[in-house]
């Protein structure tokens, strides 16, 4: 009986996630406290600092070129303020789809950074729109860590990786 209930719960959860889209998830989970920047706007922008708010195991699979991993669970404000001296610099934070990056963006704003943006749709939308991702050796790859199998439905292009 437990197996049946567990199986039904997994199927329903998967079905619910599959029925959503990135815009619906962001509308539901974010409060828009950090302004969004679209993939297209970022691709045409110059002079910005790119911060990856995913866990190191996700970053190690791939990341947007020149991104600095600042993590999520182990976010260290002292490390960030050491790396990012200019409080007026344009900073773009991303994660898988834009939920964790909003939380990190809020922390950056509290630290006094004035021009913080959240990449709308995160690395998934970046890749879905033909953006390049690289390994730690700066070699282009098709792999994207999808955080978990439920979130993987939002990645339409690329090779999905679930584990480190």
């Amino acid at each position: 009986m437990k197996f049946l209930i567990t199986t039904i719960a997994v199927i329903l959860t998967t079905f619910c996630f599959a029925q959503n889209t990135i815009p619906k998830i962001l509308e539901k989970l974010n409060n828009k406290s950090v302004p969004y920047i679209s993939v297209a706007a970022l691709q045409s922008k110059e002079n910005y600092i790119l911060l990856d708010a995913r866990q190191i195991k996700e970053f190690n699979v791939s990341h947007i070129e020149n991104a600095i991993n600042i993590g999520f669970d182990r976010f260290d404000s002292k490390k960030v303020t050491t790396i990012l001296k200019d409080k007026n610099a344009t900073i773009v934070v991303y994660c898988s789809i834009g939920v964790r990056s909003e939380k990190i963006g809020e922390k950056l704003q509290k630290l006094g950074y004035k021009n913080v943006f959240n990449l709308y749709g995160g690395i998934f939308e970046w890749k879905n729109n033909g953006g390049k991702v690289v390994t730690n050796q700066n070699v282009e790859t098709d792999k994207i860590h999808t955080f978990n199998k439920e979130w993987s439905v939002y990645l339409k292009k690329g090779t999905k990786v679930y584990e480190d």
Side-chain angles (χ1 to χ4, degrees):
M1 188 61 158
K2 283 184 180 180
F3 176 76
L4 179 61
I5 292 171
T6 303
T7 303
I8 291 170
V10 169
I11 290 169
L12 288 175
T13 301
T14 303
F15 179 74
C16 289
F17 270 98
Q19 297 304 307
N20 285 319
T21 62
I22 288 176
K24 286 181 182 177
I25 293 294
L26 293 178
E27 186 68 33
K28 181 178 172 183
L29 298 178
N30 282 1
N31 58 25
K32 300 178 186 167
S33 58
V34 178
Y36 289 119
I37 185 169
S38 70
V39 168
L42 180 60
Q43 288 174 329
S44 65
K45 193 166 190 56
E46 294 180 9
N47 300 320
Y48 60 89
I49 299 165
L50 192 58
L51 300 179
D52 188 314
R54 299 174 305 146
Q55 298 306 329
I56 194 68
K57 71 180 182 179
E58 297 169 86
F59 182 84
N60 287 341
V61 169
S62 67
H63 52 273
I64 300 173
E65 193 170 27
N66 298 317
I68 301 166
N69 180 259
I70 57 169
F72 183 75
D73 290 338
R74 297 178 189 248
F75 178 81
D76 182 348
S77 59
K78 289 181 184 177
K79 176 184 172 186
V80 170
T81 55
T82 300
I83 295 170
L84 306 174
K85 304 280 188 203
D86 182 0
K87 301 274 180 151
N88 293 310
T90 300
I91 299 170
V92 177
V93 187
Y94 75 90
C95 62
S96 294
I97 67 167
V99 176
R100 291 177 287 175
S101 50
E102 181 180 74
K103 307 293 183 260
I104 295 299
E106 291 169 349
K107 290 180 180 188
L108 292 168
Q109 290 170 335
K110 286 180 184 170
L111 289 171
Y113 294 95
K114 307 288 185 227
N115 298 306
V116 180
F117 296 90
N118 184 6
L119 180 59
Y120 189 88
I123 195 170
F124 288 10
E125 276 302 290
W126 178 265
K127 186 67 176 164
N128 289 343
N129 285 283
K132 172 177 143 178
V133 296
V134 297
T135 66
N136 285 341
Q137 292 75 36
N138 211 30
V139 175
E140 189 169 352
T141 184
D142 202 40
K143 294 179 180 179
I144 300 284
H145 194 294
T146 60
F147 185 64
N148 62 35
K149 288 189 180 190
E150 287 78 22
W151 287 101
S152 72
V153 299
Y154 305 117
L155 181 67
K156 305 300 181 195
K157 294 184 180 176
T159 303
K160 299 172 184 183
V161 175
Y162 307 107
E163 300 299 323
D164 51 333

